[in-house]
Amino acid sequence: MLRRIGVPVLAILAFLALWEALVWWNGWPNYVMASPSDLPAAYGRFWELFLLGGWQTLWRTVAGLAIAVVVGTLLGMVMGFSRVARDALYPLLVGFNAVPKATLVPVVSLLFIGQHDFNTVLMAFLISFFPIAVSVGIGLSTLEPEYRDILRALGASRVTIFRKIALPKTLPEFFGALKVAVTLAFIGTNLVEIVSPHGKGLGALFQSGATNGDYPLMFAVLIALAALGIVLYYAVVTLERTFAGWAEREAT
Amino acid sequence: MNLIDIKGVTHAYRTPSGPLPVLDNLEIGVPEGTFAAVVGPSGCGKSTLTRLIAGLMTPDRGEVWLHGERVRSPRKTVGMAFQNPVLLEWRTILDNVLLPLEIVAPRMPRAQRVTRAEELLALVGLSGFEGKKPSELSGGMRQRASLCRAIVHKPEVLIMDEPFGALDNFTREDLWQTMRDLRAKEPFTCVLITHDLRESVFLGDQVIVLSGRPARTQRVLRVDLPADRTIDVLYTPAAVEMLHTLRDEIRIAQGRAGGAH
């Protein structure tokens, strides 16, 4: 337990020390590049904004991700069960996924003008549903026919087969995709927060740091974002251990 | 009376390059309580046969009868085992064996189901492994668990598609004996698809040789060996002669009649 927490903490400390040393070595003033020792002051001055912004970023990311899970899973099910649907949807989804989402921010902002929360959640969803849909689809369509046959031979309904076999069997793939999706959703949220005027959340705080040339503040936001990202990621890992822990093999 | 009757079954798969005939006017009868081993060259439609008997598909022409009823859809009186044990990794061995009962007898009290499953697990030598996950068991043990699952709901017919194909020779012989012991306790009728002629002779009451694709019934060989066979029986002159006959039949089925080897 000590090792499992100690090793990553040490790695983070080493990273911060390297960063500090790099800035010190080059003699960069903090309007060129902030160093870790500048950050506590920034957190101290703006802690209320950090808390508020952090919360706004967090809930909108989670909301977008939740929608992505529902829609992605449904799309994945459709593609997993129907060949026709798979052939029809796949190129469409791949194409949509290839579009840089930054280009959609102005479109979405104009479509739903002033609906900042809605836009942000929408972007978090748009950017993150793809890996979920694909992995659920692949998980279902590659289910070995024997798995289905042992229950079908007993006259089990499609719903029963899905509930007892296909769904649990797809969970490891689903959580694998969710780990990718959670960081993507996070990027989506911040994209809107940074790009759109009068934004909210940590992205907007970053933007105000940029406007005022406050490098320590900007870097403080980046570190806060990284920390939030880590928290979200490990929340997914915890869920995975709970619901799909059986897929983990003991190291041998 | 035959429990399974396959009458004039012809079937072809539709492929992009036209229909692919796999079964041609197939005739098979399996008396109740007996063991039929089906052998034939690779890709001759043996697996199609298992799916037909299980009611997972219907043939283009001909009829499949099970216990006096025409098979048109899956029925609860069938158990299946495959080369891949297809155990559900997230369930314990016990819960894997219980799976068919959840479908077939949802109202049976859990205690009663568990007793039944534990009995079977003991019969195949898996007592003490009930709480383990499939990934903690060896290949042979997983296949034993898979057999228990296939017969836990007391099916009339056990259909096996090369269940021991992926096991090493000694494990395989162990499982043959397990199979023999199970049959002494449980009255199911058996259809076994196999590539292993020794297996077909050791386990079968009759060995059915299918021709190359599209498969026809090429030869039916009755196995007149005592019911409580041991592996040694395979080295008796009677068994060796049967194995020779079967080997020749397979050669013919492969289209290499009169084989020089």
Side-chain angles (χ1 to χ4, degrees):
Chain A
M1 197 62 203
L2 192 69
R3 219 183 112 224
R4 272 187 49 199
I5 298 194
V7 170
V9 167
L10 266 178
I12 289 170
L13 288 178
F15 168 76
L16 292 177
L18 263 177
W19 177 5
E20 185 78 42
L22 189 72
V23 175
W24 178 80
W25 186 262
N26 288 294
W28 285 324
N30 72 7
Y31 54 82
V32 174
M33 170 91 180
S35 64
S37 56
D38 296 328
L39 303 185
Y43 287 126
R45 243 172 79 210
F46 301 108
W47 66 272
E48 275 178 313
L49 289 177
F50 271 100
L51 280 184
L52 179 68
W55 164 245
Q56 285 166 341
T57 299
L58 182 68
W59 82 256
R60 294 188 296 192
T61 302
V62 172
L65 193 64
I67 300 172
V69 166
V70 173
V71 174
T73 307
L74 285 175
L75 272 174
M77 280 169 69
V78 170
M79 290 195 295
F81 287 131
S82 155
R83 236 233 99 119
V84 178
R86 189 153 67 244
D87 292 347
L89 288 177
Y90 224 89
L92 214 58
L93 285 178
V94 171
F96 180 78
N97 194 46
V99 170
K101 295 302 171 294
T103 60
L104 290 184
V105 175
V107 179
V108 169
S109 310
L110 204 60
L111 265 178
F112 309 105
I113 207 157
Q115 308 286 325
H116 184 61
D117 282 341
F118 178 81
N119 288 342
T120 315
V121 171
L122 181 65
M123 190 54 68
F125 154 66
L126 286 178
I127 205 169
S128 65
F129 78 92
F130 180 75
I132 299 177
V134 169
S135 67
V136 170
I138 289 177
L140 291 177
S141 64
T142 55
L143 184 73
E144 293 94 327
E146 288 102 330
Y147 278 99
R148 217 165 297 154
D149 285 351
I150 48 171
L151 286 195
R152 260 190 70 205
L154 298 170
S157 67
R158 283 178 75 105
V159 178
T160 308
I161 295 172
F162 178 73
R163 194 164 50 85
K164 292 212 184 263
I165 294 187
L167 180 72
K169 194 148 176 56
T170 312
L171 277 183
E173 277 105 339
F174 169 79
F175 277 111
L178 195 57
K179 284 184 201 163
V180 178
V182 73
T183 43
L184 284 178
F186 206 57
I187 292 171
T189 311
N190 280 289
L191 198 60
V192 179
E193 290 176 351
I194 293 172
V195 175
S196 65
H198 316 298
K200 290 191 223 166
L202 288 179
L205 193 57
F206 177 88
Q207 197 51 35
S208 77
T211 314
N212 298 315
D214 190 343
Y215 266 43
L217 174 59
M218 288 163 70
F219 277 91
V221 171
L222 292 187
I223 297 299
L225 283 174
L228 255 188
I230 292 174
V231 167
L232 275 175
Y233 182 85
Y234 280 98
V236 173
V237 170
T238 309
L239 284 176
E240 182 184 29
R241 291 238 172 88
T242 312
F243 292 106
W246 52 267
E248 245 179 68
R249 294 279 157 91
E250 296 286 317
T252 44
Chain B
M1 180 199 148
N2 283 347
L3 187 83
I4 305 169
D5 262 314
I6 293 175
K7 296 179 183 165
V9 163
T10 298
H11 192 77
Y13 286 110
R14 273 153 287 277
T15 67
S17 49
L20 176 74
V22 283
L23 300 178
D24 180 19
N25 209 15
L26 196 66
E27 297 278 342
I28 291 177
V30 185
E32 187 161 359
T34 66
F35 196 117
V38 181
V39 299
S42 290
C44 77
K46 298 191 294 292
S47 297
T48 308
L49 180 63
T50 62
R51 296 174 58 79
L52 285 173
I53 301 172
L56 292 171
M57 50 188 277
T58 47
D60 292 343
R61 271 192 292 121
E63 296 168 3
V64 178
W65 290 76
L66 198 66
H67 216 159
E69 279 177 63
R70 179 97 182 260
V71 175
R72 288 197 175 85
S73 59
R75 48 198 55 228
K76 297 178 194 300
T77 55
V78 164
M80 293 190 97
F82 307 92
Q83 177 168 349
N84 177 354
V86 288
L87 297 173
L88 312 183
E89 299 122 87
W90 55 94
R91 288 179 171 229
T92 61
I93 293 301
L94 180 69
D95 282 330
N96 263 290
V97 175
L98 290 174
L99 180 69
L101 292 177
E102 292 166 22
I103 312 292
V104 172
R107 264 177 261 285
M108 188 197 271
R110 167 135 182 126
Q112 203 176 326
R113 287 188 223 171
V114 171
T115 312
R116 163 80 181 148
E118 284 175 343
E119 255 172 43
L120 282 177
L121 285 168
L123 263 177
V124 301
L126 282 181
S127 284
F129 291 92
E130 290 87 350
K132 298 269 188 221
K133 292 281 166 68
S135 57
E136 299 174 272
L137 267 58
S138 69
M141 290 161 106
R142 270 181 252 174
Q143 202 52 264
R144 285 167 198 274
S146 165
L147 280 180
C148 291
R149 180 184 58 194
I151 58 173
V152 70
H153 54 296
K154 303 193 170 160
E156 288 179 317
V157 189
L158 172 60
I159 306 167
M160 293 182 287
D161 192 350
E162 296 194 42
F164 316 126
L167 303 173
D168 69 83
N169 262 316
F170 300 125
T171 309
R172 191 179 308 167
E173 290 181 0
D174 278 348
L175 270 146
W176 295 350
Q177 294 170 69
T178 302
M179 195 68 229
R180 174 202 62 199
D181 297 344
L182 275 178
R183 283 194 63 223
K185 294 252 168 38
E186 308 261 330
F188 51 81
T189 305
C190 234
V191 177
L192 168 75
I193 309 289
T194 180
H195 274 118
D196 186 333
L197 298 181
R198 295 169 74 236
E199 181 170 299
S200 70
V201 170
F202 181 78
L203 289 172
D205 295 311
Q206 57 170 331
V207 180
I208 297 156
V209 182
L210 298 186
S211 69
R213 197 170 58 214
R216 254 163 300 153
T217 316
Q218 178 175 310
R219 172 88 187 253
V220 179
L221 190 74
R222 280 195 44 193
V223 182
D224 286 316
L225 297 172
D228 55 342
R229 301 165 200 176
T230 60
I231 295 295
D232 294 333
V233 87
L234 288 173
Y235 303 96
T236 60
V240 171
E241 202 194 316
M242 272 184 255
L243 286 170
H244 266 294
T245 312
L246 288 172
R247 196 68 199 86
D248 286 337
E249 290 292 341
I250 294 291
R251 222 169 265 141
I252 295 168
Q254 286 173 323
R256 287 176 232 154
H261 304 290

